């Protein structure tokens, strides 16, 4: 049985960019719903004792396992998201910033491309930053899809489902993404 993971900060810690009210629904209702639904779907199946990432890879691309994949993906994506945000977030540092600056010409240009990708994702989904072949790359996924299914380990994600921002920003996804990147993005250190 999967359990709801603890939020690494107070529910009001990301204000004013993500309100306590938004997190009370997003962390408090949407995320546990994915966890509970996944538990119900895998009970008594071959997936019951698998680690989450293994369930995602085992159900990826299987039409008859779509519901399990969607919910497992959403559990993984949200647990990654809680760590992709921080009250002390902002720009990356050191090796990651150097790499981004060299590759994109400037951190501003990288931010623009990340924002464009996140805003341009049609419908519900996610924007991701990851490292591959010594390059920092940007991708998006739809609905519950996740780079983990393709063996990609992300550095950061941004939730662009409306439930992530609608109470605070209504239809203004671009404003949410902008504030996320400027104020909340919790970049890891490159190894
Ligand atoms: Mn979400």
């Amino acid at each position: 049985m999967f359990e709801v993971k603890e939020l690494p900060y107070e529910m009001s810690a990301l204000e004013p960019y993500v309100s306590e009210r938004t997190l009370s629904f997003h962390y408090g209702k949407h995320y546990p719903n994915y966890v509970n639904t996944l538990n119900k779907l895998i009970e008594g199946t071959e997936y019951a004792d698998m680690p989450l990432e293994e369930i995602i890879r085992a159900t990826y691309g299987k039409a008859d396992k779509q519901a399990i994949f969607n919910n497992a993906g959403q559990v993984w994506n949200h647990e990654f998201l809680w760590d992709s945000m921080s009250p002390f977030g902002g720009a990356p540092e050191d090796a990651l910033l150097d790499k981004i600056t060299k590759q994109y010409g400037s951190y501003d240009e990288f931010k623009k491309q990340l924002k464009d990708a996140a805003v341009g994702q049609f419908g519900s989904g996610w924007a991701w930053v990851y490292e591959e072949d010594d390059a920092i790359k940007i991708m998006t996924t739809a609905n519950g899809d996740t780079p983990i299914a393709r063996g990609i380990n992300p550095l950061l994600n941004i939730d662009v489902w409306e439930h992530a921002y609608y109470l605070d920003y209504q239809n203004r996804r671009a404003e949410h993404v902008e504030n996320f990147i400027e104020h909340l993005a919790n970049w890891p250190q490159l190894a």
Side-chain angles (χ1 to χ4, degrees), residues 6-28:
E6 207 177 317
L7 194 65
Y9 32 77
E10 295 295 314
M11 209 87 91
S12 61
L14 306 181
E15 293 201 342
Y17 309 111
V18 172
S19 68
E20 178 169 9
R21 184 163 146 80
T22 289
L23 268 190
S24 74
F25 282 95
H26 197 186
Y27 171 81

Side-chain angles (χ1 to χ4, degrees), residues 1 3 23 26 43 49 56 60 92 98 102-103 110 137-138 172 178 180 187:
M1 293 285 273
E3 286 177 12
L23 268 190
H26 197 186
E43 196 180 350
D49 297 317
I56 290 169
Y60 180 47
D98 286 349
K102 278 194 192 107
Q103 195 188 323
F110 169 80
K137 299 183 177 177
I138 295 165
R172 303 188 308 279
E178 173 103 25
F180 188 111
W187 297 100

Side-chain angles (χ1 to χ4, degrees), residues 26 34 74 78 81 126 159 161 163-164:
H26 197 186
Y34 294 125
Q74 283 295 75
H78 282 92
L81 174 71
W126 299 81
D159 190 343
W161 283 61
H163 69 221

Side-chain angles (χ1 to χ4, degrees), residues 80 94-100 103-104 110 128-139 147-148 150-157 187-191:
F80 195 78
D94 308 325
L96 178 55
L97 182 60
D98 286 349
K99 210 163 200 172
I100 287 173
Q103 195 188 323
Y104 289 84
F110 169 80
W128 303 86
V129 178
Y130 64 103
E131 187 182 22
E132 188 179 65
D133 301 331
D134 209 31
I136 304 300
K137 299 183 177 177
I138 295 165
M139 70 184 285
I148 285 296
R150 302 158 180 74
I152 293 170
N153 292 306
L155 300 171
L156 185 100
N157 68 354
W187 297 100
Q189 294 281 341
L190 280 191

Side-chain angles (χ1 to χ4, degrees), residues 79-128:
E79 289 176 354
F80 195 78
L81 174 71
W82 311 137
D83 286 327
S84 284
M85 299 190 289
S86 160
F88 313 107
E93 293 176 336
D94 308 325
L96 178 55
L97 182 60
D98 286 349
K99 210 163 200 172
I100 287 173
T101 306
K102 278 194 192 107
Q103 195 188 323
Y104 289 84
S106 66
Y107 181 55
D108 279 348
E109 174 59 23
F110 169 80
K111 282 194 289 191
K112 183 186 175 300
Q113 291 191 27
L114 177 57
K115 184 181 166 185
D116 286 351
V119 173
Q121 166 62 35
F122 185 76
S124 296
W126 299 81
W128 303 86

